[in-house]
Amino acid sequence: MTKAKEQEGDERPEQDAQTGPEHQTELEGQLAHDVERLTAEQDRIRTAMKGLQKLQRPGALLDFAKCEREVAGWKSSLGEQGLKDLGLQGTSDLLDEHLVAGKKRHRSSTGRKLKEACATAGLKLKVISREDPVELRIPPLAVRLNFDHGQAEFLFAKEPLGSCPVTPEDIIQNHTRIVRSLDSAFEPAEFFERCYEAYRMGLVVQGGKRGDRLELNDFLGHLAARLQPKKFLVNPVSGNYRGYSRGQFAYDVHRLRQARGLQQNGRRLNFGVATGTAASKKTRVIYMEDEYGQGEYKLNIFFTEAQ
């Protein structure tokens, strides 16, 4: 046997060992381990990304109550080691600081900036209550600021009309939008007549006589029916129906009063004051107020002959 063949024969066992069943099993095990490890890492990164993306949504950081829950769940799912491994410990510390001191900073800066924004927009601003939720009056609307949830709620006649994030820009923008909606086309004489028609229909349904008092809950539906656009009368389907809220009704009465239209055509529109237990049942009464929030709860409506 030649020397070359002897060397070739000596090397074959080593090569067979590198490509044999044992080596293949070891390699397969390593591949499986790497796939498992990277999959776990991928899942952890996905969890981290999902949590951060939730906190990036508009207004998410200003809803402090929800933000606190989101951050707690995010940190719990990653664990301390996960935060360190992904380089997120600094972010976690900033979020903790935001939840402790951020609400105080936000509350302070919002009050200052909102006052400036109202002055720029030519709007009056009055603080009604500094207790949570903070209540303001930006005529003609009441504005409640809930800093825990980062929401501003707009009301007229104590009826909610909309909400937005607690930022001066959002508050001014939504105040303008809601007031524009309330200030839709209004003709005092026509509104007065629609109210009288709705009152008479309510009396017919209740079996009452002219001059009787009709609860607002029994009146408002009839009024809404008489304020529908012509397309609803032609084809009364939900898509053609125009909603009419309690807040809008109170605002329209306010506009009627401003126009000195409570007395027309020999009749006067009157409201009965809610007293006792009736006043405590807010679903039965409506708070009739002016643009500055002065008013009282009314329970019923009736018409009398003008003196």
Side-chain angles (χ1 to χ4, degrees):
M1 182 180 295
T2 63
K3 187 175 183 180
K5 288 184 179 181
E6 290 177 354
Q7 290 177 345
E8 182 179 349
D10 293 340
E11 292 174 354
R12 186 175 295 119
E14 183 178 349
Q15 291 175 353
D16 290 343
Q18 293 175 351
T19 59
E22 293 182 0
H23 176 74
Q24 182 173 335
T25 300
E26 180 182 356
L27 179 56
E28 289 175 345
Q30 183 63 43
L31 291 174
H33 172 74
D34 287 340
V35 167
E36 183 179 356
R37 177 177 56 81
L38 292 173
T39 298
E41 189 70 7
Q42 187 180 46
D43 290 342
R44 189 163 60 170
I45 292 173
R46 188 180 295 110
T47 297
M49 286 288 293
K50 186 177 180 180
L52 294 176
Q53 287 169 346
K54 284 184 179 180
L55 295 172
Q56 281 186 309
R57 293 172 183 170
L61 291 175
L62 298 183
D63 187 341
F64 287 89
K66 185 176 181 180
C67 182
E68 184 173 8
R69 293 194 300 271
E70 295 283 3
V71 170
W74 179 71
K75 291 171 65 175
S76 176
S77 62
L78 292 174
E80 292 185 10
Q81 191 60 47
L83 292 171
K84 292 178 181 179
D85 291 345
L86 296 175
L88 295 173
Q89 188 61 57
T91 301
S92 175
D93 293 341
L94 286 174
L95 286 169
D96 289 342
E97 193 276 340
H98 171 72
L99 292 172
V100 173
K103 184 163 62 175
K104 292 182 180 179
R105 289 195 301 267
H106 178 56
R107 181 172 180 150
S108 176
S109 66
T110 296
R112 183 182 69 257
K113 292 178 181 178
L114 183 56
K115 184 177 180 179
E116 295 171 354
C118 284
T120 300
L123 298 171
K124 296 178 181 180
L125 172 63
K126 181 180 180 180
V127 178
I128 305 300
S129 172
R130 298 184 185 277
E131 300 296 323
D132 290 327
V134 174
E135 184 163 343
L136 312 172
R137 194 81 192 185
I138 306 177
L141 305 179
V143 186
R144 290 177 184 166
L145 307 182
N146 189 323
F147 286 96
D148 280 338
H149 294 283
Q151 286 288 304
E153 184 179 32
F154 299 88
L155 307 97
F156 186 83
K158 302 187 185 297
E159 297 289 337
L161 299 173
S163 63
C164 71
V166 180
T167 69
E169 298 79 8
D170 285 311
I171 291 171
I172 296 298
Q173 180 181 350
N174 281 271
H175 180 277
T176 301
R177 176 184 60 80
I178 292 171
V179 172
R180 185 182 296 119
S181 176
L182 288 173
D183 275 332
S184 55
F186 182 78
E187 173 51 53
E190 181 181 354
F191 180 71
F192 183 92
E193 286 303 313
R194 298 294 85 77
C195 285
Y196 184 61
E197 293 171 3
Y199 167 72
R200 290 179 61 189
M201 180 56 70
L203 290 180
V204 170
V205 173
Q206 295 290 323
K209 62 183 183 299
R210 192 172 303 180
D212 287 351
R213 300 190 177 208
L214 182 67
E215 285 208 13
L216 291 171
N217 275 355
D218 297 321
F219 162 81
L220 200 55
H222 294 297
L223 178 60
R226 276 150 185 78
L227 295 176
Q228 291 307 308
K230 185 176 181 179
K231 63 181 181 179
F232 178 79
L233 302 179
V234 172
N235 186 21
V237 296
S238 60
N240 291 335
Y241 180 81
R242 183 177 66 191
Y244 189 68
S245 69
R246 291 157 59 89
Q248 182 68 63
F249 171 62
Y251 190 76
D252 286 344
V253 171
H254 163 62
R255 291 197 286 180
L256 186 66
R257 185 177 286 111
Q258 281 188 318
R260 300 182 182 277
L262 291 176
Q263 183 171 311
Q264 300 182 37
N265 303 324
R267 296 187 292 269
R268 179 174 179 80
L269 169 59
N270 307 279
F271 293 98
V273 178
T275 58
T277 57
S280 65
K281 296 180 180 179
K282 298 301 185 288
T283 58
R284 291 181 63 193
V285 298
I286 297 179
Y287 188 75
M288 298 295 190
E289 65 178 356
D290 62 18
E291 68 268 38
Y292 300 108
Q294 300 300 311
E296 57 187 353
Y297 284 104
K298 305 293 188 180
L299 174 65
N300 48 50
I301 183 173
F302 60 102
F303 283 79
T304 55
E305 297 299 319
Q307 300 297 321

